[in-house]
mmCIF file of all heavy atoms in Angstrom:
data_model
loop_
_atom_site.group_PDB
_atom_site.id
_atom_site.type_symbol
_atom_site.label_atom_id
_atom_site.label_comp_id
_atom_site.label_asym_id
_atom_site.label_seq_id
_atom_site.Cartn_x
_atom_site.Cartn_y
_atom_site.Cartn_z
ATOM 1 N N VAL V 1327 142.413 154.545 73.053
ATOM 2 C CA VAL V 1327 141.401 154.846 74.071
ATOM 3 C C VAL V 1327 140.138 154.061 73.739
ATOM 4 O O VAL V 1327 139.555 154.228 72.681
ATOM 5 C CB VAL V 1327 141.085 156.356 74.147
ATOM 6 C CG1 VAL V 1327 139.979 156.628 75.155
ATOM 7 C CG2 VAL V 1327 142.333 157.146 74.504
ATOM 8 N N GLY V 1328 139.741 153.196 74.652
ATOM 9 C CA GLY V 1328 138.527 152.415 74.473
ATOM 10 C C GLY V 1328 137.327 153.182 74.980
ATOM 11 O O GLY V 1328 137.451 154.274 75.556
ATOM 12 N N LYS V 1329 136.167 152.615 74.755
ATOM 13 C CA LYS V 1329 134.931 153.296 75.142
ATOM 14 C C LYS V 1329 134.067 152.354 75.964
ATOM 15 O O LYS V 1329 133.891 151.193 75.625
ATOM 16 C CB LYS V 1329 134.176 153.708 73.884
ATOM 17 C CG LYS V 1329 133.001 154.607 74.121
ATOM 18 C CD LYS V 1329 132.226 154.906 72.838
ATOM 19 C CE LYS V 1329 133.089 155.318 71.701
ATOM 20 N NZ LYS V 1329 132.348 155.587 70.455
ATOM 21 N N GLU V 1330 133.541 152.869 77.043
ATOM 22 C CA GLU V 1330 132.625 152.138 77.902
ATOM 23 C C GLU V 1330 131.418 153.055 78.105
ATOM 24 O O GLU V 1330 131.566 154.171 78.590
ATOM 25 C CB GLU V 1330 133.330 151.854 79.226
ATOM 26 C CG GLU V 1330 132.499 151.217 80.278
ATOM 27 C CD GLU V 1330 133.328 150.925 81.519
ATOM 28 O OE1 GLU V 1330 134.006 151.838 82.046
ATOM 29 O OE2 GLU V 1330 133.304 149.772 81.949
ATOM 30 N N LEU V 1331 130.254 152.618 77.704
ATOM 31 C CA LEU V 1331 129.061 153.447 77.805
ATOM 32 C C LEU V 1331 128.212 152.966 78.975
ATOM 33 O O LEU V 1331 127.754 151.827 79.007
ATOM 34 C CB LEU V 1331 128.262 153.377 76.505
ATOM 35 C CG LEU V 1331 127.027 154.261 76.396
ATOM 36 C CD1 LEU V 1331 127.388 155.733 76.573
ATOM 37 C CD2 LEU V 1331 126.355 154.047 75.049
ATOM 38 N N ILE V 1332 128.011 153.863 79.944
ATOM 39 C CA ILE V 1332 127.210 153.558 81.124
ATOM 40 C C ILE V 1332 126.043 154.542 81.137
ATOM 41 O O ILE V 1332 126.248 155.754 81.107
ATOM 42 C CB ILE V 1332 128.037 153.695 82.416
ATOM 43 C CG1 ILE V 1332 129.233 152.742 82.370
ATOM 44 C CG2 ILE V 1332 127.165 153.449 83.641
ATOM 45 C CD1 ILE V 1332 130.267 153.010 83.441
ATOM 46 N N ILE V 1333 124.839 154.010 81.165
ATOM 47 C CA ILE V 1333 123.637 154.847 81.196
ATOM 48 C C ILE V 1333 122.933 154.624 82.529
ATOM 49 O O ILE V 1333 122.676 153.478 82.907
ATOM 50 C CB ILE V 1333 122.685 154.491 80.041
ATOM 51 C CG1 ILE V 1333 123.376 154.730 78.693
ATOM 52 C CG2 ILE V 1333 121.391 155.292 80.156
ATOM 53 C CD1 ILE V 1333 122.579 154.245 77.503
ATOM 54 N N VAL V 1334 122.630 155.717 83.214
ATOM 55 C CA VAL V 1334 121.885 155.632 84.466
ATOM 56 C C VAL V 1334 120.549 156.333 84.259
ATOM 57 O O VAL V 1334 120.504 157.524 83.961
ATOM 58 C CB VAL V 1334 122.647 156.285 85.639
ATOM 59 C CG1 VAL V 1334 121.828 156.189 86.923
ATOM 60 C CG2 VAL V 1334 124.017 155.643 85.817
ATOM 61 N N ASN V 1335 119.472 155.593 84.425
ATOM 62 C CA ASN V 1335 118.124 156.144 84.346
ATOM 63 C C ASN V 1335 117.660 156.387 85.781
ATOM 64 O O ASN V 1335 117.453 155.456 86.540
ATOM 65 C CB ASN V 1335 117.187 155.169 83.626
ATOM 66 C CG ASN V 1335 115.793 155.709 83.468
ATOM 67 O OD1 ASN V 1335 115.420 156.692 84.090
ATOM 68 N ND2 ASN V 1335 115.008 155.050 82.641
ATOM 69 N N ASP V 1336 117.519 157.659 86.126
ATOM 70 C CA ASP V 1336 117.146 158.026 87.489
ATOM 71 C C ASP V 1336 115.627 158.057 87.645
ATOM 72 O O ASP V 1336 115.047 159.058 88.048
ATOM 73 C CB ASP V 1336 117.765 159.378 87.851
ATOM 74 C CG ASP V 1336 117.633 159.708 89.317
ATOM 75 O OD1 ASP V 1336 117.695 158.785 90.151
ATOM 76 O OD2 ASP V 1336 117.454 160.900 89.634
ATOM 77 N N CYS V 1337 114.993 156.931 87.293
ATOM 78 C CA CYS V 1337 113.546 156.761 87.433
ATOM 79 C C CYS V 1337 112.761 157.797 86.626
ATOM 80 O O CYS V 1337 111.798 158.386 87.095
ATOM 81 C CB CYS V 1337 113.127 156.789 88.902
ATOM 82 S SG CYS V 1337 111.445 156.176 89.164
ATOM 83 N N SER V 1338 113.190 158.015 85.395
ATOM 84 C CA SER V 1338 112.495 158.960 84.526
ATOM 85 C C SER V 1338 111.053 158.520 84.312
ATOM 86 O O SER V 1338 110.783 157.335 84.120
ATOM 87 C CB SER V 1338 113.195 159.063 83.175
ATOM 88 O OG SER V 1338 114.469 159.634 83.334
ATOM 89 N N ALA V 1339 110.164 159.485 84.306
ATOM 90 C CA ALA V 1339 108.742 159.194 84.114
ATOM 91 C C ALA V 1339 108.308 159.423 82.669
ATOM 92 O O ALA V 1339 107.150 159.287 82.339
ATOM 93 C CB ALA V 1339 107.906 160.068 85.044
ATOM 94 N N ASP V 1340 109.256 159.774 81.813
ATOM 95 C CA ASP V 1340 108.933 160.016 80.412
ATOM 96 C C ASP V 1340 109.258 158.776 79.569
ATOM 97 O O ASP V 1340 109.228 157.671 80.078
ATOM 98 C CB ASP V 1340 109.689 161.246 79.904
ATOM 99 C CG ASP V 1340 111.196 161.115 80.083
ATOM 100 O OD1 ASP V 1340 111.679 159.998 80.372
ATOM 101 O OD2 ASP V 1340 111.893 162.125 79.925
ATOM 102 N N ARG V 1341 109.594 158.953 78.327
ATOM 103 C CA ARG V 1341 109.894 157.836 77.420
ATOM 104 C C ARG V 1341 111.362 157.425 77.452
ATOM 105 O O ARG V 1341 111.809 156.691 76.578
ATOM 106 C CB ARG V 1341 109.516 158.231 76.005
ATOM 107 C CG ARG V 1341 108.041 158.506 75.832
ATOM 108 C CD ARG V 1341 107.720 158.909 74.434
ATOM 109 N NE ARG V 1341 108.469 158.065 73.503
ATOM 110 C CZ ARG V 1341 108.375 158.123 72.192
ATOM 111 N NH1 ARG V 1341 107.568 158.965 71.641
ATOM 112 N NH2 ARG V 1341 109.094 157.331 71.427
ATOM 113 N N SER V 1342 112.120 157.883 78.426
ATOM 114 C CA SER V 1342 113.562 157.631 78.464
ATOM 115 C C SER V 1342 113.912 156.155 78.341
ATOM 116 O O SER V 1342 114.750 155.777 77.530
ATOM 117 C CB SER V 1342 114.177 158.187 79.749
ATOM 118 O OG SER V 1342 114.093 159.585 79.771
ATOM 119 N N GLU V 1343 113.289 155.325 79.149
ATOM 120 C CA GLU V 1343 113.640 153.901 79.127
ATOM 121 C C GLU V 1343 113.383 153.296 77.752
ATOM 122 O O GLU V 1343 114.209 152.550 77.233
ATOM 123 C CB GLU V 1343 112.886 153.126 80.200
ATOM 124 C CG GLU V 1343 113.245 151.647 80.161
ATOM 125 C CD GLU V 1343 113.341 151.041 81.537
ATOM 126 O OE1 GLU V 1343 112.936 151.663 82.527
ATOM 127 O OE2 GLU V 1343 113.851 149.923 81.608
ATOM 128 N N ARG V 1344 112.267 153.626 77.154
ATOM 129 C CA ARG V 1344 111.943 153.104 75.822
ATOM 130 C C ARG V 1344 112.993 153.550 74.800
ATOM 131 O O ARG V 1344 113.438 152.776 73.966
ATOM 132 C CB ARG V 1344 110.557 153.584 75.411
ATOM 133 C CG ARG V 1344 110.030 152.890 74.192
ATOM 134 C CD ARG V 1344 108.598 153.231 73.889
ATOM 135 N NE ARG V 1344 107.867 153.754 75.039
ATOM 136 C CZ ARG V 1344 106.832 154.554 74.972
ATOM 137 N NH1 ARG V 1344 106.355 154.914 73.810
ATOM 138 N NH2 ARG V 1344 106.235 154.981 76.061
ATOM 139 N N GLU V 1345 113.388 154.819 74.872
ATOM 140 C CA GLU V 1345 114.397 155.347 73.943
ATOM 141 C C GLU V 1345 115.757 154.700 74.175
ATOM 142 O O GLU V 1345 116.458 154.361 73.219
ATOM 143 C CB GLU V 1345 114.497 156.867 74.085
ATOM 144 C CG GLU V 1345 113.255 157.610 73.667
ATOM 145 C CD GLU V 1345 112.957 157.471 72.183
ATOM 146 O OE1 GLU V 1345 113.905 157.400 71.380
ATOM 147 O OE2 GLU V 1345 111.767 157.435 71.830
ATOM 148 N N ILE V 1346 116.132 154.536 75.434
ATOM 149 C CA ILE V 1346 117.412 153.905 75.766
ATOM 150 C C ILE V 1346 117.454 152.483 75.231
ATOM 151 O O ILE V 1346 118.431 152.076 74.584
ATOM 152 C CB ILE V 1346 117.647 153.915 77.294
ATOM 153 C CG1 ILE V 1346 117.859 155.347 77.790
ATOM 154 C CG2 ILE V 1346 118.822 153.020 77.673
ATOM 155 C CD1 ILE V 1346 117.739 155.498 79.290
ATOM 156 N N MET V 1347 116.403 151.735 75.463
ATOM 157 C CA MET V 1347 116.361 150.347 75.001
ATOM 158 C C MET V 1347 116.390 150.271 73.475
ATOM 159 O O MET V 1347 117.019 149.387 72.899
ATOM 160 C CB MET V 1347 115.137 149.621 75.559
ATOM 161 C CG MET V 1347 115.130 149.540 77.091
ATOM 162 S SD MET V 1347 116.677 148.990 77.830
ATOM 163 C CE MET V 1347 116.689 147.285 77.334
ATOM 164 N N ALA V 1348 115.754 151.210 72.805
ATOM 165 C CA ALA V 1348 115.774 151.243 71.340
ATOM 166 C C ALA V 1348 117.185 151.493 70.827
ATOM 167 O O ALA V 1348 117.628 150.845 69.869
ATOM 168 C CB ALA V 1348 114.806 152.308 70.826
ATOM 169 N N VAL V 1349 117.899 152.402 71.452
ATOM 170 C CA VAL V 1349 119.284 152.683 71.044
ATOM 171 C C VAL V 1349 120.158 151.451 71.270
ATOM 172 O O VAL V 1349 120.969 151.083 70.421
ATOM 173 C CB VAL V 1349 119.844 153.912 71.800
ATOM 174 C CG1 VAL V 1349 121.344 154.032 71.603
ATOM 175 C CG2 VAL V 1349 119.136 155.181 71.356
ATOM 176 N N ILE V 1350 119.985 150.804 72.402
ATOM 177 C CA ILE V 1350 120.774 149.594 72.703
ATOM 178 C C ILE V 1350 120.493 148.516 71.656
ATOM 179 O O ILE V 1350 121.416 147.862 71.162
ATOM 180 C CB ILE V 1350 120.474 149.097 74.132
ATOM 181 C CG1 ILE V 1350 121.050 150.096 75.159
ATOM 182 C CG2 ILE V 1350 121.039 147.693 74.355
ATOM 183 C CD1 ILE V 1350 120.637 149.818 76.589
ATOM 184 N N ARG V 1351 119.229 148.334 71.286
ATOM 185 C CA ARG V 1351 118.880 147.334 70.262
ATOM 186 C C ARG V 1351 119.455 147.692 68.896
ATOM 187 O O ARG V 1351 119.896 146.822 68.153
ATOM 188 C CB ARG V 1351 117.365 147.176 70.167
ATOM 189 C CG ARG V 1351 116.771 146.287 71.243
ATOM 190 C CD ARG V 1351 115.316 145.919 70.944
ATOM 191 N NE ARG V 1351 114.428 147.073 70.821
ATOM 192 C CZ ARG V 1351 113.895 147.730 71.854
ATOM 193 N NH1 ARG V 1351 114.145 147.342 73.091
ATOM 194 N NH2 ARG V 1351 113.108 148.765 71.662
#
């Protein structure tokens, strides 16, 4: 079983995008 990670940011107004990008990096 392989893994495909899909993240959808529903226009969060908090630090979500920054945290997501940090995890990706």
Side-chain angles (χ1 to χ4, degrees):
V1327 177
K1329 189 184 312 179
E1330 175 177 52
L1331 184 59
I1332 301 167
I1333 299 173
V1334 179
N1335 182 346
D1336 190 35
C1337 194
S1338 294
D1340 57 13
R1341 297 179 42 177
S1342 294
E1343 179 142 12
R1344 191 173 339 154
E1345 294 295 326
I1346 292 165
M1347 298 312 290
V1349 168
I1350 291 171
R1351 280 192 301 279

